Amino acid sequence: MAAVRALPALAAALLLAAAGQASKYSREANEGLAAADGKRREAGEFRVVRLNQVWEKAQRLHLSAVKLAELHSDLKIQEKDELSWKKLKAEGLDEDGEKEAKLRRNLNVIMTKYGMNGKKDSQLVDTNYIKDGTESDTLDDPRLEKLWSKAKTSGKFSDEELDKLWREFKHHKEKIREYNILLETVSRTEDIHKNVINPSEENLVKEEILHNKHRELKEKLRSINQGFERLRKVSHQGYDTTSEFEEPRVIDLWDMAKSANFTEKELESFREELKHFEAKIEKHHHYQKQLEISHQKLKHVEGTGDKDHLNRNKEKYAMLQEKTKELGYKVKKHLQDLSSRISQGLQHNEL
């Protein structure tokens, strides 16, 4: 009987020991993750030196949590492209330097987008998902400001639809900024080219690069014009309830796909892929919102002095940060692939 009575006590002791061991393993796992993260930071966030320099510079700026995650995704795409280019260069497949020039141009766009190009007028696009931001932000274009003002006072839009429309306006503003950055780069290259007295084979190669840049400018301008017409139509008529897509980037892609040289079957397949892409973007938006909430909560908890609560919030914030970066990269890579396919279709139209 004494042995029977001793069983519950023994079981309880074993459970306590197991719980202690589990806690130890959990702690060790977390410490292991922290050590691995520390090693990664020590080695550099990226495999390209200049991208690490950009990332380190960004850490010193007062960027929001969401903006930092977005920058990380942009730099991961840049890293992928630069490593691919290094491989091509080693195989002698970028003799004209066109791909290298495009990489420099893309990095310039990133630096300008996040206010790291040294220009005082360089502004960041607000992606704070907690506050509305629509009153304090400007669209930097009188036509867009006028359309937005009319849409807000028209009574045609619910609050949710106004938020959606505002995202479209901000997306359009970004497209114009990227176009202007590219235009400035092309103009500088042309000025240098005009000052060359003796034409050579190298200069003929540069002419080809300029031609490709002009084609890229033409595609961006076409997208801007299509986008403005859409904004004008939506602002005056309201949203069409039968509209297939809601995300501005997806709407852009679909409008351009319809102008490209796709067969009916290819267009239908592209439409289905865009639906999956839009779902991926929505998931990314969800994590961006959660990251912003977590960041604000973390700042609040830091002032309370509760270490356990602070550690829990730090863990959650780190998890959301990594997930947001990962999804951001996937969205941008998918967008890059889809845009490339449309670009090929549009070029085929011009032949």
Side-chain angles (χ1 to χ4, degrees):
M1 288 295 290
V4 172
R5 283 196 300 272
L7 282 174
L10 179 61
L14 287 170
L15 283 170
L16 282 169
Q21 195 74 352
S23 175
K24 177 189 170 189
Y25 289 145
S26 176
R27 187 173 63 253
E28 285 175 354
N30 286 334
E31 286 169 0
L33 285 170
D37 186 55
K39 282 181 183 177
R40 188 185 70 186
R41 288 176 186 279
E42 198 175 309
E45 190 75 19
F46 302 94
R47 288 180 285 171
V48 179
V49 174
R50 62 177 170 176
L51 300 187
N52 275 319
Q53 290 169 347
V54 172
W55 181 245
E56 285 163 14
K57 182 179 179 180
Q59 306 296 305
R60 298 190 292 270
L61 300 176
H62 297 293
L63 299 180
S64 70
V66 170
K67 209 65 189 171
L68 264 179
E70 276 291 285
L71 171 60
H72 191 276
S73 303
D74 280 333
L75 291 176
K76 286 301 283 185
I77 290 290
Q78 182 76 9
E79 177 185 56
K80 174 183 74 70
D81 292 343
E82 293 211 14
L83 293 174
S84 296
W85 167 75
K86 282 182 180 178
K87 190 178 177 184
L88 283 175
K89 190 183 178 186
E91 295 169 359
L93 297 176
D94 189 32
E95 290 181 8
D96 59 4
E98 181 192 340
K99 288 181 173 60
E100 184 181 8
K102 188 170 184 181
L103 283 171
R104 283 199 302 269
R105 197 159 68 243
N106 289 346
L107 187 58
N108 186 29
V109 169
I110 292 170
M111 297 286 283
T112 303
K113 181 178 174 183
Y114 295 94
M116 293 188 288
N117 63 341
K119 292 184 180 179
K120 290 181 181 179
D121 61 343
S122 182
Q123 293 179 342
L124 294 172
V125 174
D126 192 359
T127 51
N128 188 326
Y129 286 90
I130 305 303
K131 65 184 178 66
D132 177 26
T134 55
E135 295 305 320
S136 58
D137 289 347
T138 58
L139 294 165
D140 300 335
D141 184 323
R143 294 188 309 164
L144 292 180
E145 295 282 4
K146 189 176 178 182
L147 278 181
W148 173 242
S149 179
K150 279 186 177 179
K152 277 198 300 183
T153 56
S154 68
K156 291 186 174 77
F157 302 94
S158 64
D159 289 344
E160 188 179 337
E161 285 175 333
L162 273 177
D163 286 343
K164 176 181 161 184
L165 184 61
W166 177 248
R167 286 203 308 273
E168 288 202 47
F169 272 95
K170 294 301 288 291
H171 173 64
H172 192 79
K173 174 186 171 180
E174 270 303 284
K175 285 200 299 184
I176 293 171
R177 287 187 68 211
E178 288 188 13
Y179 174 81
N180 287 333
I181 293 165
L182 179 59
L183 185 61
E184 186 183 339
T185 308
V186 171
S187 299
R188 281 201 306 269
T189 311
E190 282 183 334
D191 287 342
I192 294 167
H193 187 69
K194 283 173 185 173
N195 291 329
V196 175
I197 299 168
N198 298 318
S200 64
E201 189 177 331
E202 186 183 344
N203 288 323
L204 289 173
V205 166
K206 285 179 180 175
E207 269 188 27
E208 179 62 26
I209 293 172
L210 274 174
H211 174 73
N212 289 329
K213 284 182 180 177
H214 278 291
R215 188 175 62 215
E216 192 178 344
L217 274 171
K218 190 176 176 182
E219 286 175 14
K220 284 187 180 293
L221 190 58
R222 182 196 285 123
S223 175
I224 286 169
N225 289 335
Q226 284 181 341
F228 182 77
E229 279 307 305
R230 172 182 161 72
L231 285 174
R232 190 183 59 77
K233 184 180 175 184
V234 171
S235 299
H236 285 92
Q237 299 176 11
Y239 277 110
D240 181 0
T241 53
T242 62
S243 178
E244 288 190 79
F245 303 109
E246 294 189 4
E247 217 311 303
R249 284 170 290 184
V250 180
I251 292 166
D252 268 356
L253 288 169
W254 180 236
D255 284 345
M256 292 185 77
K258 287 184 287 188
S259 305
N261 190 36
F262 291 141
T263 64
E264 199 172 315
K265 188 177 179 182
E266 286 171 336
L267 197 59
E268 185 55 38
S269 172
F270 200 81
R271 185 207 306 261
E272 287 305 309
E273 191 168 350
L274 285 179
K275 287 178 183 176
H276 293 300
F277 180 50
E278 188 166 60
K280 195 181 287 184
I281 291 173
E282 285 169 4
K283 187 176 181 182
H284 183 222
H285 281 331
H286 167 76
Y287 273 95
Q288 284 180 314
K289 289 175 187 176
Q290 293 306 308
L291 178 64
E292 187 66 39
I293 291 167
S294 177
H295 185 244
Q296 295 206 3
K297 197 178 284 185
L298 183 60
K299 285 196 291 186
H300 171 72
V301 173
E302 279 173 344
T304 65
D306 185 338
K307 287 187 178 180
D308 288 340
H309 198 193
L310 180 61
N311 287 335
R312 284 197 300 274
N313 275 274
K314 277 184 176 178
E315 283 178 17
K316 185 177 180 183
Y317 176 71
M319 181 274 289
L320 287 168
Q321 199 175 36
E322 287 305 309
K323 191 67 180 175
T324 306
K325 286 177 186 176
E326 179 194 333
L327 281 169
Y329 172 74
K330 286 179 179 177
V331 164
K332 288 176 191 293
K333 186 177 182 302
H334 200 168
L335 176 62
Q336 193 180 51
D337 295 341
L338 292 168
S339 300
S340 176
R341 281 163 57 188
I342 290 175
S343 181
Q344 288 169 12
L346 290 170
Q347 284 175 36
H348 194 274
N349 282 355
E350 293 172 3
L351 297 177

